[in-house]
Amino acid sequence: MRTYHCFWLLFWAGQPHQSFLTPLSKRTSGFPEKEKVLVLSGNSRQDLHRSKRSWMWNQFFLLEEYTGTDYQYVGKLHSDQDKGDGSLKYILSGDGAGDLFIINENTGDIQATKRLDREEKPVYILRAQAINRRTGRPVEPESEFIIKIHDINDNEPMFTKDVYNASIPEMSDVGTFVVQVTATDADDPTYGNSAKVVYSILQGQPYFSVESETGIIKTALLNMDRENRDQYQVVIQAKDMGGQMGGLSGTTTVNITLTDVNDNPPRFPQSTYQFRAPESTPLDSPVGRIKANDADVDENAEIEYSITEGDGYDMFGITTDKDTQEGIITVKKALDFESKNLYILKVEATNTHVDPRFLYLGPFKDSATVRIQVEDVDEPPMFSRPAYIMEVKEDVPLNSVIGTVTAQDPDAAKNPVKYSVDRHTDMDRVFNINSGNGSIFTSKSLDRETLLWHNITVIAAEINNPKQSSRVPVFIKVLDVNDNAPEFAMFYETFVCENAKAEQLIQTLSAVDKDDSYNGHQFSFSLAPEAASSSNFTLQDNRDNTAGVFTRKTRYNRHETSTYFLPVVISDNDYPIQSSTETVTIRVCACDHRGKMLSCNAEALIHPTGLSTGALIAILLCIIILLVTVVLFAALRRQRKKEPLIISKEDIRDNIVSYNDEGGGEEDTQAFDIGTLRNPEAIDDNKLRRDIVPETLFMPRRTATARDNTDVRDFINQRLKENDTDPTAPPYDSLATYAYEGNGSVAESLSSLESVTTDGDQDYDYLSDWGPRFKKLADMYGSMDSDRDS
């Protein structure tokens, strides 16, 4: 069965300015027929039908920022299947359905429950459907429509920055670009003029202007000078609605800085400068400072100074202080008040970075005149030369003048000068100087071979002001004279074989001379006159500063003569001729047939240098004696024995036994009967000592015991008397120790010597009342009472 369904979307325009209609280009009773494939709900597959639909509207329009108290009416949905009997139910789904947008399920009226903002969401897409209320099945396919939020001018333009910073060079042309500001409007740019922004300048005229549409700020005034004003604050306004009345606006601040260009030349504040410089001013020392002012900054204010002309052009120089941009005038040559006392200079200051655009303003340099007055100071004497070189022969007599130094006061006063030698440079006082005329003379003899050069320092000082002094080095060279005789180059000690042949060379000699020879040394060798005829050897001069020693006979006997001493005379050819006699030592040795030495009396030729045999023997004897002493001492120590406690049988001294424990230790000894010590009256007359064997038997004498409260002195005297009269005591001094509390003691005597006769007479209960120190003693004697009672 073919059915036709129409779903009407009716928009009620009962409330103007709340919703809008979108008219079609051609008003008809519905949209043109179009084929649409419908999928019916359900699990069974249904036939596809061609559906003819009639649409009046497919979108609604709604103003934002609704301020009414009631819900805002949007529109109405209606289906042609709705008979008005309430059998159909309209439902809504999609963006904001049920929360932001609600629909009357009976009438299809749609309302907005909240205030809408287009800037948050401009379009809402929803879906509507009519279903059978009884069956719940849709009578129309689901249809989609949109709700567009119409914009109102509720947002002012906002600049991208609160504050803009920009800079341009000073002296810029009119219309120079400075910076571009940008403002945005959140309103809908496609609807009305709510988002159309126009720029204008509120503050900053007449220096700057702004393009109304682009926001580009440009210069509006010619030749703005940074030196007059370098900071500008411009306020720009952005207004929507195309700038019309009622539009919203926003502002921003633009800070514009003029940067420097080199448009100002340096200028000296005065045309003439005057300085004073003492004539003693050191080289490269500053004399004064000058400065040219430049209104520019940084590199545009950098200045270079130069001296262009003047009579002091070569006497002074000028440099630039990079930190202060000052010109520093310095001394290039030494000043002399007596020669010239006034110099006039012309100094020029020039910019190092010149901008060609501003050359029309004039030359970027300036000049000034500098007058320098040289002041006279008291100067030290000046020597005629910076250094002196003198020569003297080494044989010159004492007090001979070898040269003269000259110094004078350069001041106009021409003060007299005195001379002296710095003794730190002439510690041996070889030279001296005449303090009046500066002549240097010798005070000690010279020796070129000891010291060739003498370097001394001469001091010249004003007589009236000795602090004004100067120094000069004097180099003295000692010239050589022939005052040293030639001598052997080394000590010659050789040997000759007993079987040597005649005219055999046994040694070649050479000589040296300490003197200097300009043409070279020429030495001559000869035998001394006393050995020329009787010598067993001959000498041959080789004419090359060497000589050879030859044998004169065929054989030599070392048993007859073991050593020969050959005197040789050496002479030079300088003036005056110097000669010396040197000795060659020749030893006779036994040799083999090839001339190799076998034995010789000359031990120096055989044994190397070292200790002699006698010294070695002495050292060995000392070592042997030391070893024997050590062995004897060790043997004596081994033979020594400990001295016994009892040397002989007659030695019957008592043993001393030491106990370190409290109470009860007496039972451990075997030397004494401790019970006897506790009760002296109970001594067994026939009981002998157990530690030694007595030779003679004496009957022990009973001694009276000391009673209670006996004085200490009486107690000691009594014991001393007993020991003196005791025949069993040893015949030598002995030490007896007694413990006695003395009279008046609370505890009375604790010694076992003062104990009563029997243990039963004692009561030790009082020891428990004496405190913790007597606890162990009380326990020990208390236990004894307990054992006795039991």
Side-chain angles (χ1 to χ4, degrees), residues 220-247:
L221 189 65
L222 185 64
N223 294 334
M224 287 189 291
D225 193 0
R226 185 199 65 84
E227 287 71 33
N228 295 331
R229 182 179 177 184
D230 61 345
Q231 294 286 340
Y232 295 88
Q233 190 174 74
V234 179
V235 179
I236 303 297
Q237 175 184 264
K239 190 174 184 180
D240 59 11
M241 297 297 293
Q244 298 177 5
M245 185 178 297

Side-chain angles (χ1 to χ4, degrees), residues 226-435:
R226 185 199 65 84
E227 287 71 33
N228 295 331
R229 182 179 177 184
D230 61 345
Q231 294 286 340
Y232 295 88
Q233 190 174 74
V234 179
V235 179
I236 303 297
Q237 175 184 264
K239 190 174 184 180
D240 59 11
M241 297 297 293
Q244 298 177 5
M245 185 178 297
L248 303 178
S249 64
T251 60
T252 188
T253 300
V254 182
N255 295 322
I256 301 175
T257 303
L258 297 184
T259 58
D260 185 56
V261 297
N262 194 5
D263 59 340
N264 294 280
R267 290 288 181 263
F268 283 105
Q270 58 192 71
S271 60
T272 303
Y273 295 86
Q274 292 190 3
F275 299 102
R276 293 181 178 272
E279 62 176 335
S280 60
T281 303
L283 298 182
D284 298 326
S285 298
V287 174
R289 289 172 175 255
I290 60 176
K291 184 177 182 181
N293 298 324
D294 194 325
D296 297 322
V297 295
D298 299 333
E299 67 174 13
N300 297 319
E302 292 181 0
I303 301 174
E304 183 177 357
Y305 297 90
S306 60
I307 299 176
T308 56
E309 58 184 59
D311 54 0
Y313 180 81
D314 58 342
M315 297 294 296
F316 299 92
I318 189 169
T319 58
T320 302
D321 189 335
K322 298 300 182 181
D323 297 330
T324 62
Q325 295 300 316
E326 292 178 316
I328 306 174
I329 301 175
T330 58
V331 178
K332 291 174 59 179
K333 294 184 178 180
L335 303 177
D336 187 7
F337 173 81
E338 289 72 25
S339 300
K340 188 175 181 63
N341 57 15
L342 179 64
Y343 295 91
I344 299 176
L345 310 174
K346 184 178 181 181
V347 179
E348 187 174 80
T350 307
N351 275 138
T352 56
H353 301 279
V354 179
D355 195 336
R357 295 177 301 171
F358 305 104
L359 289 177
Y360 67 91
L361 297 177
F364 282 78
K365 59 184 179 179
D366 194 15
S367 61
T369 301
V370 178
R371 298 170 59 89
I372 301 176
Q373 183 73 41
V374 180
E375 297 178 340
D376 187 24
V377 295
D378 189 6
E379 298 177 276
M382 293 184 60
F383 285 93
S384 59
R385 300 179 189 175
Y388 292 86
I389 299 178
M390 301 178 182
E391 294 181 346
V392 59
K393 289 186 177 181
E394 61 178 328
D395 62 345
V396 67
L398 295 180
N399 299 322
S400 298
V401 176
I402 60 176
T404 303
V405 297
T406 305
Q408 62 179 359
D409 185 9
D411 299 325
K414 300 298 180 182
N415 294 320
V417 177
K418 65 176 180 179
Y419 303 92
S420 62
V421 176
D422 186 357
R423 291 306 173 188
H424 292 90
T425 60
D426 186 22
M427 301 294 291
D428 297 331
R429 297 182 177 268
V430 179
F431 301 95
N432 212 332
I433 190 170
N434 189 307
S435 62

Side-chain angles (χ1 to χ4, degrees), residues 328-630:
I328 306 174
I329 301 175
T330 58
V331 178
K332 291 174 59 179
K333 294 184 178 180
L335 303 177
D336 187 7
F337 173 81
E338 289 72 25
S339 300
K340 188 175 181 63
N341 57 15
L342 179 64
Y343 295 91
I344 299 176
L345 310 174
K346 184 178 181 181
V347 179
E348 187 174 80
T350 307
N351 275 138
T352 56
H353 301 279
V354 179
D355 195 336
R357 295 177 301 171
F358 305 104
L359 289 177
Y360 67 91
L361 297 177
F364 282 78
K365 59 184 179 179
D366 194 15
S367 61
T369 301
V370 178
R371 298 170 59 89
I372 301 176
Q373 183 73 41
V374 180
E375 297 178 340
D376 187 24
V377 295
D378 189 6
E379 298 177 276
M382 293 184 60
F383 285 93
S384 59
R385 300 179 189 175
Y388 292 86
I389 299 178
M390 301 178 182
E391 294 181 346
V392 59
K393 289 186 177 181
E394 61 178 328
D395 62 345
V396 67
L398 295 180
N399 299 322
S400 298
V401 176
I402 60 176
T404 303
V405 297
T406 305
Q408 62 179 359
D409 185 9
D411 299 325
K414 300 298 180 182
N415 294 320
V417 177
K418 65 176 180 179
Y419 303 92
S420 62
V421 176
D422 186 357
R423 291 306 173 188
H424 292 90
T425 60
D426 186 22
M427 301 294 291
D428 297 331
R429 297 182 177 268
V430 179
F431 301 95
N432 212 332
I433 190 170
N434 189 307
S435 62
N437 57 21
S439 60
I440 300 174
F441 56 91
T442 60
S443 57
K444 289 186 179 181
S445 59
L446 304 176
D447 186 7
R448 187 201 69 86
E449 288 73 31
T450 303
L451 186 61
L452 177 62
W453 283 93
H454 294 267
N455 302 327
I456 65 174
T457 299
V458 175
I459 303 174
E462 294 182 6
I463 296 178
N464 299 333
N465 187 8
K467 293 183 178 179
Q468 294 294 337
S469 63
S470 57
R471 298 167 175 263
V472 68
V474 179
F475 307 103
I476 302 174
K477 182 179 181 181
V478 181
L479 301 179
D480 182 48
V481 295
N482 192 24
D483 59 345
N484 290 279
E487 56 188 12
F488 278 153
M490 56 180 293
F491 175 73
Y492 288 103
E493 183 176 11
T494 184
F495 72 95
V496 62
C497 294
E498 289 182 309
N499 56 357
K501 298 180 180 180
E503 301 298 327
Q504 180 179 344
L505 177 65
I506 61 175
Q507 184 66 50
T508 300
L509 308 178
S510 62
V512 294
D513 195 336
K514 295 180 180 179
D515 293 324
D516 190 11
S517 177
Y518 299 101
N519 298 323
H521 291 291
Q522 292 292 331
F523 302 127
S524 59
F525 299 86
S526 62
L527 292 177
E530 64 272 15
S533 58
S534 62
S535 177
N536 293 310
F537 302 92
T538 60
L539 184 69
Q540 179 181 343
D541 191 349
N542 298 326
R543 304 297 179 184
D544 59 353
N545 294 336
T546 63
V549 179
F550 293 86
T551 57
R552 175 174 286 184
K553 58 182 182 178
T554 302
R555 295 185 63 83
Y556 295 86
N557 191 342
R558 59 180 172 138
H559 299 289
E560 296 178 357
T561 304
S562 61
T563 304
Y564 294 92
F565 298 99
L566 184 66
V568 178
V569 178
I570 311 172
S571 303
D572 57 19
N573 62 347
D574 292 332
Y575 180 81
I577 296 176
Q578 300 287 340
S579 62
S580 65
T581 301
E582 301 289 332
T583 301
V584 179
T585 302
I586 304 174
R587 299 183 183 277
V588 180
C589 301
C591 302
D592 58 11
H593 65 282
R594 291 176 295 181
K596 185 177 180 181
M597 181 177 59
L598 297 179
S599 63
C600 189
N601 292 333
E603 295 181 358
L605 296 178
I606 302 175
H607 301 289
T609 303
L611 295 175
S612 63
T613 305
L616 294 175
I617 293 173
I619 293 174
L620 291 176
L621 288 176
C622 291
I623 295 174
I624 293 171
I625 293 172
L626 182 61
L627 291 176
V628 170
T629 303
V630 173

Side-chain angles (χ1 to χ4, degrees), residues 638-651:
R638 290 182 179 180
Q639 291 178 2
R640 290 178 59 187
K641 296 182 179 179
K642 269 188 182 180
E643 184 179 353
L645 182 61
I646 301 176
I647 301 177
S648 63
K649 294 183 179 180
E650 287 78 13
D651 191 354

Side-chain angles (χ1 to χ4, degrees), residues 77-147:
L77 296 177
H78 183 71
S79 173
D80 56 358
Q81 298 294 325
D82 189 0
K83 305 301 183 179
D85 54 0
S87 61
L88 295 183
K89 177 182 177 181
Y90 296 95
I91 59 175
L92 191 66
S93 62
D95 295 340
D99 178 22
L100 188 59
F101 299 102
I102 60 174
I103 188 171
N104 190 317
E105 61 182 16
N106 296 320
T107 64
D109 293 328
I110 303 174
Q111 292 178 313
T113 62
K114 296 180 181 179
R115 186 176 178 178
L116 303 178
D117 188 359
R118 190 202 66 83
E119 286 71 35
E120 292 182 2
K121 188 174 180 64
V123 176
Y124 295 87
I125 301 175
L126 294 97
R127 294 178 295 279
Q129 192 174 33
I131 63 174
N132 189 291
R133 188 183 297 271
R134 182 175 58 84
T135 62
R137 299 184 64 181
V139 298
E140 292 282 354
E142 188 177 54
S143 299
E144 184 178 86
F145 65 97
I146 62 175
I147 298 178

